[in-house]
Structures are given as structure tokens and as C-alpha cells.
Amino acid sequence: MMSLQVGQEIPELVKHPTTRQLVQYAGAQGDFYEIHYDQAYAKSVGLPGVILHGLLKAAFLGQLISDWLEERGRLKTFEVSYRGIDMPGRDRGLGRGRGRQADHAGLGYGADGCLMFSLYLVLKFIHILAAVTAVGSNLTYGVWNARSQSDPAHLGFALKGIKFIDDRIANPAYGVLLLTGLLMVFLGHWSITSLWIILALLLFAGVVVVAVAFYSPLLAKLIQLVDAGETSSSDFARLARRNQMLGPAIGLLVVLILIMMVFKPAL
């Protein structure tokens, strides 16, 4: 009957993880998160470089136990908890017992780094959610306009619906998008002078100017004319034509911003 005490040392297993092994494991396991093979991306989210997959380290531990058991037993299940990060290019020894002090001092990624990394992921989630909310809201405007054209009796309701969504949902979401984007640039060590960031900010400023100075006042005037029963007037027709031009123009600017964010073009 075998017994193993907490903190007891067993024969050590030394592994020599490399970046190539991480790429191979990513393909085998299907975990293509860039922090495991893309140095630039890993550093952009606050890590000192690419890090080992947690499940790969768990597999190392499983090998350690299986090698120690040999023919005396079989490892059926085990559980692990992740206490820190490891990087390729450093030999990792396993099997010296629970009481061993974890060697993460030289990684440059302590509690503050973990907090920064977690905060970056939270901001990224909010950033993407704000983008989906803002752009998704804008896309509904076409549905509202199509509905009003097919049934003019609902024109006022449709315009007021667009104005409500624009003021209360889309515009605040764009504000959150800008704020979280700037915070991610700071926390992720992106350069504010990167071409794609400069272009995205310029395009965003263009969207704000067009929306605040032209589109929002235009909607308000259209609503006033509808409420006054002047939908057949020349002023209403002129403003409606302008509305049909401004909507696609803003949409084009938003699409260009999304292209900058996704593809990040550089000189």
C-alpha cells in the first residue's frame, strides 16, 4: 500500500518547454490564444512574453505522477489550480513537494502584473460589447426607415425611435468605446502614435462631428415637422434627402473605424 504525504518529495521531472512546443501544443489542443505563441501580442497585454498553456503544465504534472507510479498504479483523475505563469526557455522542475517556494520572482509578472492583465481583459470585453451595441444600434436605423416608408402613418414613431436609440444607446456606447479603447492603449502598452490608432481616432472624431453637428439636429427637425403635420412640405423633403445621405456617410466612417481596430494597418 503506497502513501504520499503533503510536501513529500518524489523523483523530479525536469521539462524544457520551448516556444515551438507551445505552437505544436496549440495546434493539438486547439488553444490558439495569442499569449501562448505571439511575443508582441503577449507583451501588449501586460505579459513579459509568451507563457505556457495551463493545461500543458497539468500534462507535465500527470507525466510526473505516472512516471513515479510506474507499474504500481495508474493515475485516473487529478485536479490542479493555477498559481502563476511560466515561460518557455526556462527549465521547469516538478516533484519537489507542495512546500517548495514557487519560482516566479524572475518573471517580472507578479501580483500587479496579474491585476493589470485581468483589468485589460475586462476592458477588452467591455470595449467589444460597446462596439457591438453601438454599431448594432446604428444598423437598426435602416429597419426603422424602411418601416416608416412602407407605412407613412408610423413615420413619427420611427423617427422618434431612431432619436431615442441614438441619444440613449448608440451615442453612450460610442463614448464607452472611446474610453475603454484609450485605457487599453495605456494598459496594453500600445503606442498612441501607431498609424491605425491615429486613423481610428481621426475617423471617430469625424463621426462625432457629423453626428452632433448634423445628424442629431436633423432628426430633431424632422420630428418637429412630422408632429406639425408638414410631411408633404418642401422642407421635410429636403431634410429627408439629407437624412438619406448622412446615414450611409456615418455608417461608412464606422466601418472604416472597425477596419482599423481589427486589422491594425501599419506603414
Side-chain angles (χ1 to χ4, degrees):
M1 185 73 173
M2 293 182 298
S3 63
L4 184 64
Q5 303 299 320
V6 174
Q8 177 182 337
E9 291 189 6
I10 60 177
E12 185 177 23
L13 172 67
V14 179
K15 305 299 292 188
H16 313 280
T18 64
T19 303
R20 179 176 181 178
Q21 183 180 26
L22 299 188
V23 174
Q24 293 172 326
Y25 183 80
Q29 202 267 339
D31 182 356
F32 296 103
Y33 191 16
E34 291 90 339
I35 61 173
H36 298 304
Y37 59 84
D38 189 328
Q39 292 283 1
Y41 181 84
K43 292 179 180 180
S44 75
V45 297
L47 290 167
V50 296
I51 63 174
L52 271 64
H53 301 76
L55 288 178
L56 178 59
K57 294 194 290 184
F60 291 162
L61 181 59
Q63 181 185 351
L64 166 72
I65 302 299
S66 297
D67 290 351
W68 174 71
L69 285 172
E70 295 181 334
E71 301 298 325
R72 296 171 296 174
R74 181 165 60 93
L75 177 63
K76 297 178 65 176
T77 63
F78 68 97
E79 296 181 358
V80 297
S81 62
Y82 302 138
R83 303 296 181 87
I85 63 171
D86 293 284
M87 301 175 65
R90 297 171 55 118
D91 292 349
R92 309 309 301 174
L94 298 90
R96 294 185 179 179
R98 183 176 176 178
R100 185 182 59 154
Q101 181 67 34
D103 179 19
H104 298 297
L107 294 177
Y109 192 74
D112 291 341
C114 291
L115 177 61
M116 295 287 280
F117 182 53
S118 299
L119 179 58
Y120 182 90
L121 290 181
V122 171
L123 288 172
K124 185 176 182 180
F125 174 79
I126 297 174
H127 187 72
I128 295 174
L129 182 61
V132 171
T133 301
V135 177
S137 297
N138 291 157
L139 291 176
T140 66
Y141 298 172
V143 178
W144 287 87
N145 285 322
R147 177 62 178 170
S148 65
Q149 290 175 6
S150 63
D151 189 355
H154 293 94
L155 179 58
F157 177 78
L159 290 174
K160 290 177 181 178
I162 294 174
K163 189 73 166 63
F164 177 85
I165 294 175
D166 200 57
D167 292 343
R168 304 295 179 86
I169 300 177
N171 291 342
Y174 278 117
V176 173
L177 188 66
L178 175 63
L179 178 61
T180 53
L182 292 175
L183 289 174
M184 288 169 62
V185 169
F186 172 72
L187 293 178
H189 305 292
W190 296 103
S191 173
I192 195 67
T193 58
S194 298
L195 175 64
W196 67 273
I197 294 179
I198 294 175
L199 292 177
L201 288 175
L202 290 174
L203 290 168
F204 190 89
V207 169
V208 172
V209 170
V210 173
V212 174
F214 300 100
Y215 189 69
S216 187
L218 176 62
L219 281 177
K221 291 178 181 177
L222 284 171
I223 292 172
Q224 289 177 359
L225 291 174
V226 171
D227 289 342
E230 299 180 12
T231 55
S232 59
S233 66
S234 59
D235 286 342
F236 183 86
R238 176 175 54 83
L239 293 175
R241 287 194 298 270
R242 187 178 299 176
N243 181 41
Q244 292 175 351
M245 292 186 294
L246 282 179
I250 294 176
L252 177 61
L253 291 176
V254 170
V255 169
L256 291 175
I257 293 174
L258 293 177
I259 291 175
M260 296 299 109
M261 293 169 58
V262 173
F263 296 102
K264 299 177 176 58
L267 292 176

